[in-house]
Amino acid sequence: QVQVVESGGGSVQPGGSLRLSCAASGHIFSVTAVEWYRQAPGKSRALVATITTGGTTNYADSVKGRFTISRDSAKNSVYLQMNNLKPEDTAVYYCKATSIRGREYDAWGQGTQVTVSQ
C-alpha cells in the first residue's frame, strides 16, 4: 500500500505564495505518477498538476506559469509551489499517488486547505 500526506496549506493574500508538500510512504515503488487536485467550494474536484516517475509535468491551464510541481525522490516527496495566488485558487488541495496496480490502489491524501483572500 501507498500512503500520502499533504501539508503546507494556509491563508494568504492575493499575489502571495504557498508551497504544498506531499510525503509518500509504503510501497512507493508502485507509484507511476503523483498529481495535485483541488476542490473549490461548490465545485467538483479538478486536476491541477501532474508529475510522472519520468519527470514529465503537466498543468491545468488555470495555473500555468504560476504553479510548479516538483519532486525530491530521496525524500519520497512531491511539492507544489504556488505563486501569484488568486482568490479562485481557494480550495482544498489533495495529493494523489497513482499506483501501477490500478485505480483502486491509488492513494489519496487527506487534503490541505488553501485560502486566498484580502
Side-chain angles (χ1 to χ4, degrees):
Q1 303 290 339
V2 178
Q3 299 84 40
V4 294
V5 178
E6 307 98 330
S7 62
S11 297
V12 297
Q13 293 184 336
S17 297
L18 286 171
R19 186 180 188 240
L20 306 184
S21 297
C22 174
S25 60
H27 297 171
I28 59 176
F29 292 115
S30 70
V31 174
T32 60
V34 174
E35 298 179 315
W36 286 97
Y37 289 77
R38 66 186 182 187
Q39 188 165 17
K43 303 293 183 65
S44 59
R45 190 171 297 184
L47 179 63
V48 176
T50 300
I51 187 165
T52 70
T53 53
T56 301
T57 59
N58 286 285
Y59 300 91
D61 288 342
S62 58
V63 307
K64 285 180 179 177
R66 300 188 298 119
F67 290 12
T68 303
I69 188 170
S70 62
R71 68 185 180 192
D72 186 338
S73 297
K75 296 181 178 180
N76 297 324
S77 295
V78 170
Y79 308 98
L80 185 67
Q81 179 67 46
M82 306 186 296
N83 297 327
N84 192 24
L85 284 161
K86 303 176 179 180
E88 51 263 45
D89 296 318
T90 295
V92 178
Y93 284 71
Y94 298 90
C95 179
K96 189 202 81 174
T98 300
S99 175
I100 196 171
R101 299 177 65 190
R103 186 185 67 179
E104 63 268 35
Y105 296 96
D106 292 348
W108 288 86
Q110 80 288 350
T112 185
Q113 177 71 48
V114 171
T115 301
V116 185
S117 66
Q118 293 288 353

